[in-house]
Amino acid sequence: MADVVDSMLDLMRRLPPTRTEENVSALIRLAPDYADDLLGSVDQPLQVKTDRATGRDYLACDYNRDGDSYRSPWSNEYDPPLEDGTVPTSKLRKLEIAANEAFDTYREMYYEGGISSVYLWDLEDGGFAGVVLLKKSMTPATPYEPSGSWDSIHVFETAERGRQAHYKLTSTIMLQLVTRGGTDESVAVEKSETKGDSKNPEGWKRDGEMSLSGSMTRQIEEDGPIHDSSSHITNIGKMIEDLENKMRNTLQEVYFGKTRDIVYDLRSVDNLEKARRQRDLQKELAGFIKR
């Protein structure tokens, strides 16, 4: 069993991250007996669903899934309906409702849109665990405008120790960006060419299209004071806020900065011959000054 799951995970690491959902579905069709192990080990872009009872959108992932149904954090009901679905205890459900309200405010402050969902469940050792989900997508108004999506998955475990609580947080960010060049005319020409060319199926990259995608995972552990149940929301919120900001800065400075450096090394913006003459002139002037 372990060998099969390890092989599937090893294959997923080598496949394009932009097609994670398609690749997972294909592997499940090949090895349906290992579907739960694969779904629990691979982070996929969060799905958006609508609560039929409240009409509010929520995020679906493996943490609020029971069979083929997903539990809504707003109504605490499963869709499709599930009679014996797992739900949190009444005490934990109250904390879950408060956490959803708090992170809905956090989402509006940092994302100015998007969707957030929080799910909690009890642990066998007496503590509890949960996941905070955040997603924002950028949908292009025209075929040549950029598009992208940001998915944050923050999984935490809590263990109370008197008036202190120990928290273990694992955060994963999945980012996908697609930039497209061209004009309305070029897109129109491209569409006409695509319709007449069976070798260029929909989903392939267009001319002038660049895709950047990937994921990052970080883990931290901290202790925090607890005065009542709401203290858990404050402590976990601070940890998620700090870690998400650090990961966001790492994405901007390290990954995108490195990509920019590579592009500049491959193709200069300025005329290289002109830059070479300027360097030679600077050396010549420096030589005169030394004399």
Side-chain angles (χ1 to χ4, degrees), residues 44-89:
Q44 301 185 66
L46 301 170
Q47 302 178 41
V48 179
K49 295 185 175 294
T50 303
D51 189 327
R52 297 182 180 181
T54 63
R56 298 184 65 176
D57 291 337
Y58 66 94
L59 297 174
C61 67
D62 193 57
Y63 294 99
N64 66 319
R65 180 178 65 89
D66 194 336
D68 295 327
S69 300
Y70 293 91
R71 182 172 68 89
S72 167
W74 311 120
S75 64
N76 203 30
E77 297 178 356
Y78 279 91
D79 184 22
L82 196 64
E83 294 182 0
D84 57 347
T86 303
V87 295
T89 60

Side-chain angles (χ1 to χ4, degrees), residues 89-99:
T89 60
S90 58
K91 179 181 178 180
L92 198 61
R93 174 58 184 161
K94 292 180 180 179
L95 185 62
E96 184 181 77
I97 293 173

Side-chain angles (χ1 to χ4, degrees), residues 148-270:
S149 63
W150 173 292
D151 297 79
S152 291
I153 303 175
H154 305 281
V155 184
F156 61 88
E157 294 182 5
T158 304
E160 295 186 5
R161 301 171 181 175
R163 295 187 176 181
Q164 292 278 324
H166 182 74
Y167 303 96
K168 181 179 180 181
L169 174 66
T170 303
S171 297
T172 299
I173 291 178
M174 289 174 284
L175 180 65
Q176 179 178 350
L177 298 174
V178 178
T179 59
R180 301 178 178 92
T183 61
D184 289 329
E185 294 181 0
S186 63
V187 171
V189 172
E190 184 179 298
K191 285 183 178 179
S192 63
E193 290 178 350
T194 302
K195 290 180 180 179
D197 186 2
S198 60
K199 295 182 180 180
N200 188 16
E202 185 178 356
W204 284 26
K205 287 187 177 181
R206 302 185 180 97
D207 290 339
E209 179 178 302
M210 183 178 70
S211 175
L212 292 174
S213 59
S215 63
M216 176 194 300
T217 301
R218 296 290 184 270
Q219 188 178 90
I220 59 172
E221 295 187 34
E222 288 184 9
D223 292 326
I226 51 174
H227 308 289
D228 51 34
S229 59
S230 63
S231 298
H232 291 300
I233 300 176
T234 303
N235 296 335
I236 294 169
K238 289 180 179 178
M239 292 176 65
I240 290 176
E241 182 180 25
D242 292 341
L243 186 56
E244 197 172 66
N245 283 336
K246 290 178 181 177
M247 295 174 73
R248 193 265 185 205
N249 291 335
T250 300
L251 284 170
Q252 178 180 352
E253 297 174 6
V254 178
Y255 291 89
F256 287 99
K258 189 64 176 178
T259 302
R260 182 183 58 190
D261 292 342
I262 293 174
V263 171
Y264 284 174
D265 286 342
L266 293 174
R267 206 283 190 185
S268 174
V269 176
D270 299 323

